[in-house]
Amino acid sequence: DSGVTQTPKHLITATGQRVTLRCSPRSGDLSVYWYQQSLDQGLQFLIQYYNGEERAKGNILERFSAQQFPDLHSELNLSSLELGDSALYFCASTREGGTGELFFGEGSRLTVL
Amino acid sequence: AQKITQTQPGMFVQEKEAVTLDCTYDTSDQSYGLFWYKQPSSGEMIFLIYQGSYDEQNATEGRYSLNFQKARKSANLVISASQLGDSAMYFCAMREPSTGNQFYFGTGTSLTVIP
């Protein structure tokens, strides 16, 4: 158990819909990263937050948005969903001290039909 | 240019043998971190091992060791005494402070352990 909690674990929805993925980082971790992993693909960096502020943006579509709340949990909002958005979405957190490794949640598997 | 390059899309190894998964990286930072993650078919990402750029000794964690060659900018993962449960995707990653501690991941190597 990495200590990072993601909900929901599985989500099936239709094209054009909107979903929200939620992430609770490890206790004490201020940084949250979101990644998208499409079938048989590597990890695509979407966005990073540090203590409530957006720190870096990757290949995140305009239809996607995210935020980190004062309690440090984060949400990734995906709207106007398309078939190609079907993927495993990971949240990861880190303390940014010591070795600073990323701890990943189990992922939210989104299927768009 | 790619920050992390993994040139082996797929690898096979006999059970109980050792295997090396290759990783090269590109950074101008003097201080950086290198990581390996395992992703089994169940999908979760499992942290395996870390190497700091200033660490003089190669990192080891149980059956995992990291062959760190700084001048060549390579950070190969060595798995000794392979087990069937080692069959998974393996990702090499780098944390780069100059880009706000961004993590860069390679495309992964799929390892299959043959009984």
Side-chain angles (χ1 to χ4, degrees):
Chain A
D1 182 3
S2 68
V4 179
T5 304
Q6 285 189 251
T7 57
K9 286 188 171 43
H10 300 275
L11 192 54
I12 301 174
T13 189
T15 55
Q17 294 299 305
R18 172 191 168 94
V19 298
T20 297
L21 310 181
R22 182 188 168 102
C23 169
S24 294
R26 285 191 324 156
S27 177
D29 287 358
L30 300 180
S31 278
V32 168
Y33 297 71
W34 286 97
Y35 291 88
Q36 177 195 54
Q37 186 180 37
S38 301
L39 190 63
D40 295 332
Q41 297 290 313
L43 290 163
Q44 296 295 319
F45 169 63
L46 295 178
I47 199 164
Q48 179 202 0
Y49 284 86
Y50 179 80
N51 202 20
E53 299 290 325
E54 181 185 305
R55 179 179 264 187
K57 226 175 211 185
N59 298 321
I60 188 167
L61 300 171
E62 284 191 11
R63 299 183 286 109
F64 295 0
S65 65
Q67 55 183 325
Q68 186 180 29
F69 295 86
D71 67 353
L72 301 178
H73 91 271
S74 179
E75 293 181 358
L76 179 67
N77 301 296
L78 316 175
S79 61
S80 303
L81 286 168
E82 302 174 359
L83 296 178
D85 297 328
S86 296
L88 186 56
Y89 291 85
F90 283 109
C91 167
S93 72
T94 183
R95 200 149 291 168
E96 295 204 5
T99 57
E101 67 265 35
L102 282 177
F103 290 89
F104 283 82
E106 293 183 344
S108 292
R109 188 171 295 279
L110 173 66
T111 303
V112 182
L113 300 176
Chain B
Q2 293 289 330
K3 292 279 190 181
I4 296 287
T5 302
Q6 294 182 253
T7 57
Q8 306 154 314
M11 291 280 286
F12 292 86
V13 64
Q14 205 75 39
E15 194 177 6
K16 299 179 185 175
E17 297 292 311
V19 62
T20 298
L21 307 183
D22 294 341
C23 172
T24 57
Y25 60 92
D26 182 28
T27 182
S28 301
D29 287 14
Q30 295 302 306
S31 175
Y32 50 89
L34 297 161
F35 307 83
W36 278 90
Y37 287 85
K38 172 185 179 182
Q39 187 179 35
S41 57
S42 51
E44 71 268 31
M45 293 285 288
I46 302 166
F47 165 68
L48 294 179
I49 195 166
Y50 162 82
Q51 179 83 43
S53 59
Y54 289 120
D55 295 341
E56 295 186 354
Q57 302 267 4
N58 286 341
T60 60
E61 288 287 346
R63 294 186 299 109
Y64 304 109
S65 60
L66 200 152
N67 184 358
F68 180 45
Q69 298 188 46
K70 195 169 183 176
R72 294 187 178 185
K73 292 190 173 178
S74 76
N76 299 338
L77 178 70
V78 181
I79 305 174
S80 62
S82 296
Q83 302 172 354
L84 296 179
D86 294 334
S87 293
M89 281 290 287
Y90 289 81
F91 292 96
C92 178
M94 175 179 68
R95 185 188 71 238
E96 191 177 52
S98 67
T99 56
N101 276 328
Q102 279 309 298
F103 282 79
Y104 298 92
F105 284 82
T107 51
T109 295
S110 176
L111 177 67
T112 303
V113 180
I114 303 165

mmCIF file of all heavy atoms in Angstrom, chain B residues 2 15-18 33 35 37 39 43 53 62-63 69 73 83-85 88 90 92-94 96 99 109:
data_model
loop_
_atom_site.group_PDB
_atom_site.id
_atom_site.type_symbol
_atom_site.label_atom_id
_atom_site.label_comp_id
_atom_site.label_asym_id
_atom_site.label_seq_id
_atom_site.Cartn_x
_atom_site.Cartn_y
_atom_site.Cartn_z
ATOM 1 N N GLN B 2 14.962 13.084 -25.939
ATOM 2 C CA GLN B 2 14.327 12.339 -24.873
ATOM 3 C C GLN B 2 15.140 12.462 -23.604
ATOM 4 O O GLN B 2 16.373 12.368 -23.627
ATOM 5 C CB GLN B 2 14.230 10.853 -25.258
ATOM 6 C CG GLN B 2 13.308 10.569 -26.414
ATOM 7 C CD GLN B 2 11.861 10.752 -26.051
ATOM 8 O OE1 GLN B 2 11.466 10.553 -24.919
ATOM 9 N NE2 GLN B 2 11.052 11.146 -27.021
ATOM 10 N N GLU B 15 14.024 -18.248 -15.751
ATOM 11 C CA GLU B 15 13.882 -18.211 -14.295
ATOM 12 C C GLU B 15 15.228 -18.522 -13.648
ATOM 13 O O GLU B 15 15.988 -19.365 -14.120
ATOM 14 C CB GLU B 15 12.841 -19.243 -13.880
ATOM 15 C CG GLU B 15 12.328 -19.111 -12.477
ATOM 16 C CD GLU B 15 11.239 -20.132 -12.182
ATOM 17 O OE1 GLU B 15 10.972 -20.995 -13.037
ATOM 18 O OE2 GLU B 15 10.668 -20.082 -11.082
ATOM 19 N N LYS B 16 15.531 -17.784 -12.566
ATOM 20 C CA LYS B 16 16.746 -17.914 -11.761
ATOM 21 C C LYS B 16 17.974 -17.258 -12.398
ATOM 22 O O LYS B 16 19.032 -17.207 -11.752
ATOM 23 C CB LYS B 16 17.069 -19.378 -11.426
ATOM 24 C CG LYS B 16 15.970 -20.060 -10.619
ATOM 25 C CD LYS B 16 16.303 -21.509 -10.317
ATOM 26 C CE LYS B 16 15.121 -22.197 -9.625
ATOM 27 N NZ LYS B 16 15.346 -23.631 -9.421
ATOM 28 N N GLU B 17 17.840 -16.772 -13.629
ATOM 29 C CA GLU B 17 18.947 -16.077 -14.250
ATOM 30 C C GLU B 17 18.867 -14.580 -13.899
ATOM 31 O O GLU B 17 17.834 -14.071 -13.453
ATOM 32 C CB GLU B 17 18.898 -16.247 -15.772
ATOM 33 C CG GLU B 17 19.060 -17.679 -16.239
ATOM 34 C CD GLU B 17 20.468 -18.187 -15.974
ATOM 35 O OE1 GLU B 17 21.429 -17.483 -16.324
ATOM 36 O OE2 GLU B 17 20.592 -19.298 -15.410
ATOM 37 N N ALA B 18 19.961 -13.878 -14.168
ATOM 38 C CA ALA B 18 19.984 -12.427 -13.983
ATOM 39 C C ALA B 18 19.662 -11.746 -15.304
ATOM 40 O O ALA B 18 19.899 -12.296 -16.379
ATOM 41 C CB ALA B 18 21.354 -11.976 -13.476
ATOM 42 N N GLY B 33 17.825 12.664 -9.514
ATOM 43 C CA GLY B 33 17.528 11.349 -8.977
ATOM 44 C C GLY B 33 17.086 10.411 -10.082
ATOM 45 O O GLY B 33 16.430 10.825 -11.037
ATOM 46 N N PHE B 35 15.252 6.568 -10.834
ATOM 47 C CA PHE B 35 14.326 5.634 -10.209
ATOM 48 C C PHE B 35 13.959 4.535 -11.198
ATOM 49 O O PHE B 35 13.947 4.739 -12.405
ATOM 50 C CB PHE B 35 13.027 6.351 -9.805
ATOM 51 C CG PHE B 35 13.227 7.572 -8.963
ATOM 52 C CD1 PHE B 35 13.536 8.788 -9.543
ATOM 53 C CD2 PHE B 35 13.097 7.501 -7.590
ATOM 54 C CE1 PHE B 35 13.726 9.927 -8.764
ATOM 55 C CE2 PHE B 35 13.279 8.634 -6.806
ATOM 56 C CZ PHE B 35 13.593 9.849 -7.398
ATOM 57 N N TYR B 37 10.673 1.741 -11.645
ATOM 58 C CA TYR B 37 9.354 1.319 -11.200
ATOM 59 C C TYR B 37 8.959 0.053 -11.947
ATOM 60 O O TYR B 37 9.315 -0.142 -13.101
ATOM 61 C CB TYR B 37 8.315 2.407 -11.475
ATOM 62 C CG TYR B 37 8.413 3.594 -10.548
ATOM 63 C CD1 TYR B 37 9.292 4.628 -10.814
ATOM 64 C CD2 TYR B 37 7.619 3.667 -9.407
ATOM 65 C CE1 TYR B 37 9.398 5.718 -9.964
ATOM 66 C CE2 TYR B 37 7.707 4.760 -8.547
ATOM 67 C CZ TYR B 37 8.596 5.781 -8.832
ATOM 68 O OH TYR B 37 8.692 6.847 -7.979
ATOM 69 N N GLN B 39 5.617 -2.253 -13.130
ATOM 70 C CA GLN B 39 4.171 -2.247 -13.324
ATOM 71 C C GLN B 39 3.717 -3.642 -13.743
ATOM 72 O O GLN B 39 3.816 -4.017 -14.905
ATOM 73 C CB GLN B 39 3.746 -1.212 -14.368
ATOM 74 C CG GLN B 39 2.229 -1.075 -14.470
ATOM 75 C CD GLN B 39 1.785 -0.029 -15.479
ATOM 76 O OE1 GLN B 39 2.405 0.160 -16.525
ATOM 77 N NE2 GLN B 39 0.709 0.680 -15.158
ATOM 78 N N GLY B 43 -1.540 -3.472 -12.977
ATOM 79 C CA GLY B 43 -1.571 -2.047 -13.288
ATOM 80 C C GLY B 43 -0.900 -1.097 -12.317
ATOM 81 O O GLY B 43 -0.569 0.019 -12.707
ATOM 82 N N SER B 53 22.378 11.213 -7.889
ATOM 83 C CA SER B 53 23.482 11.503 -8.805
ATOM 84 C C SER B 53 24.813 11.623 -8.084
ATOM 85 O O SER B 53 25.870 11.438 -8.697
ATOM 86 C CB SER B 53 23.195 12.787 -9.595
ATOM 87 O OG SER B 53 23.009 13.875 -8.716
ATOM 88 N N GLY B 62 17.558 -5.631 -2.200
ATOM 89 C CA GLY B 62 17.262 -7.046 -2.370
ATOM 90 C C GLY B 62 17.850 -7.574 -3.670
ATOM 91 O O GLY B 62 19.053 -7.480 -3.898
ATOM 92 N N ARG B 63 16.983 -8.127 -4.524
ATOM 93 C CA ARG B 63 17.461 -8.686 -5.795
ATOM 94 C C ARG B 63 17.666 -7.623 -6.877
ATOM 95 O O ARG B 63 18.085 -7.942 -7.987
ATOM 96 C CB ARG B 63 16.478 -9.744 -6.287
ATOM 97 C CG ARG B 63 16.390 -10.987 -5.404
ATOM 98 C CD ARG B 63 15.500 -12.062 -6.022
ATOM 99 N NE ARG B 63 14.136 -11.606 -6.205
ATOM 100 C CZ ARG B 63 13.591 -11.342 -7.390
ATOM 101 N NH1 ARG B 63 14.286 -11.486 -8.490
ATOM 102 N NH2 ARG B 63 12.329 -10.948 -7.463
ATOM 103 N N GLN B 69 26.328 4.450 -14.204
ATOM 104 C CA GLN B 69 27.540 4.912 -14.859
ATOM 105 C C GLN B 69 27.306 6.364 -15.269
ATOM 106 O O GLN B 69 26.733 6.653 -16.332
ATOM 107 C CB GLN B 69 27.867 4.036 -16.070
ATOM 108 C CG GLN B 69 28.137 2.587 -15.683
ATOM 109 C CD GLN B 69 28.638 1.768 -16.845
ATOM 110 O OE1 GLN B 69 29.526 2.181 -17.599
ATOM 111 N NE2 GLN B 69 28.067 0.589 -17.018
ATOM 112 N N LYS B 73 25.937 8.377 -18.536
ATOM 113 C CA LYS B 73 24.534 8.717 -18.273
ATOM 114 C C LYS B 73 23.654 7.487 -18.461
ATOM 115 O O LYS B 73 22.656 7.519 -19.206
ATOM 116 C CB LYS B 73 24.084 9.887 -19.154
ATOM 117 C CG LYS B 73 24.776 11.195 -18.784
ATOM 118 C CD LYS B 73 24.172 12.389 -19.479
ATOM 119 C CE LYS B 73 24.799 13.671 -18.936
ATOM 120 N NZ LYS B 73 24.281 14.878 -19.623
ATOM 121 N N GLN B 83 12.466 -14.303 -10.952
ATOM 122 C CA GLN B 83 11.338 -15.122 -10.526
ATOM 123 C C GLN B 83 10.167 -14.860 -11.476
ATOM 124 O O GLN B 83 10.107 -13.814 -12.134
ATOM 125 C CB GLN B 83 10.942 -14.760 -9.086
ATOM 126 C CG GLN B 83 12.045 -14.922 -8.081
ATOM 127 C CD GLN B 83 11.672 -14.383 -6.710
ATOM 128 O OE1 GLN B 83 10.609 -13.779 -6.519
ATOM 129 N NE2 GLN B 83 12.550 -14.602 -5.740
ATOM 130 N N LEU B 84 9.231 -15.810 -11.515
ATOM 131 C CA LEU B 84 8.089 -15.651 -12.411
ATOM 132 C C LEU B 84 7.331 -14.352 -12.112
ATOM 133 O O LEU B 84 6.808 -13.696 -13.013
ATOM 134 C CB LEU B 84 7.156 -16.855 -12.293
ATOM 135 C CG LEU B 84 7.754 -18.185 -12.740
ATOM 136 C CD1 LEU B 84 6.733 -19.322 -12.543
ATOM 137 C CD2 LEU B 84 8.210 -18.144 -14.185
ATOM 138 N N GLY B 85 7.303 -13.975 -10.854
ATOM 139 C CA GLY B 85 6.606 -12.757 -10.453
ATOM 140 C C GLY B 85 7.288 -11.479 -10.906
ATOM 141 O O GLY B 85 6.737 -10.381 -10.749
ATOM 142 N N ALA B 88 6.746 -8.262 -15.840
ATOM 143 C CA ALA B 88 6.062 -6.974 -15.692
ATOM 144 C C ALA B 88 6.683 -5.973 -16.652
ATOM 145 O O ALA B 88 7.655 -6.279 -17.344
ATOM 146 C CB ALA B 88 6.197 -6.455 -14.263
ATOM 147 N N TYR B 90 8.753 -2.463 -16.814
ATOM 148 C CA TYR B 90 9.678 -1.745 -15.960
ATOM 149 C C TYR B 90 9.965 -0.376 -16.570
ATOM 150 O O TYR B 90 10.308 -0.273 -17.750
ATOM 151 C CB TYR B 90 10.976 -2.543 -15.796
ATOM 152 C CG TYR B 90 10.798 -3.774 -14.946
ATOM 153 C CD1 TYR B 90 10.277 -4.945 -15.493
ATOM 154 C CD2 TYR B 90 11.109 -3.765 -13.588
ATOM 155 C CE1 TYR B 90 10.073 -6.065 -14.717
ATOM 156 C CE2 TYR B 90 10.921 -4.878 -12.806
ATOM 157 C CZ TYR B 90 10.396 -6.029 -13.372
ATOM 158 O OH TYR B 90 10.198 -7.148 -12.586
ATOM 159 N N CYS B 92 12.022 3.270 -16.215
ATOM 160 C CA CYS B 92 13.100 4.074 -15.658
ATOM 161 C C CYS B 92 12.617 5.524 -15.603
ATOM 162 O O CYS B 92 11.869 5.971 -16.490
ATOM 163 C CB CYS B 92 14.329 3.955 -16.575
ATOM 164 S SG CYS B 92 15.759 4.937 -16.080
ATOM 165 N N ALA B 93 13.013 6.249 -14.577
ATOM 166 C CA ALA B 93 12.561 7.633 -14.440
ATOM 167 C C ALA B 93 13.666 8.494 -13.843
ATOM 168 O O ALA B 93 14.557 7.999 -13.150
ATOM 169 C CB ALA B 93 11.310 7.695 -13.552
ATOM 170 N N MET B 94 13.570 9.783 -14.119
ATOM 171 C CA MET B 94 14.530 10.743 -13.581
ATOM 172 C C MET B 94 13.783 11.933 -12.998
ATOM 173 O O MET B 94 12.823 12.412 -13.601
ATOM 174 C CB MET B 94 15.467 11.227 -14.696
ATOM 175 C CG MET B 94 16.427 12.324 -14.261
ATOM 176 S SD MET B 94 17.529 12.856 -15.576
ATOM 177 C CE MET B 94 16.382 13.648 -16.713
ATOM 178 N N GLU B 96 14.294 15.820 -12.094
ATOM 179 C CA GLU B 96 15.205 16.871 -12.500
ATOM 180 C C GLU B 96 14.863 18.163 -11.764
ATOM 181 O O GLU B 96 13.842 18.796 -12.057
ATOM 182 C CB GLU B 96 15.100 17.066 -14.019
ATOM 183 C CG GLU B 96 16.163 17.941 -14.621
ATOM 184 C CD GLU B 96 16.022 18.004 -16.126
ATOM 185 O OE1 GLU B 96 14.908 18.301 -16.606
ATOM 186 O OE2 GLU B 96 17.029 17.795 -16.824
ATOM 187 N N THR B 99 13.845 21.609 -13.505
ATOM 188 C CA THR B 99 12.524 21.750 -14.131
ATOM 189 C C THR B 99 11.428 21.619 -13.082
ATOM 190 O O THR B 99 10.322 21.149 -13.374
ATOM 191 C CB THR B 99 12.328 20.704 -15.254
ATOM 192 O OG1 THR B 99 12.534 19.393 -14.722
ATOM 193 C CG2 THR B 99 13.262 20.964 -16.409
ATOM 194 N N THR B 109 10.154 -1.245 -20.469
ATOM 195 C CA THR B 109 10.618 -2.528 -21.000
ATOM 196 C C THR B 109 9.731 -3.614 -20.432
ATOM 197 O O THR B 109 9.543 -3.684 -19.212
ATOM 198 C CB THR B 109 12.075 -2.806 -20.603
ATOM 199 O OG1 THR B 109 12.929 -1.843 -21.219
ATOM 200 C CG2 THR B 109 12.505 -4.208 -21.038
#
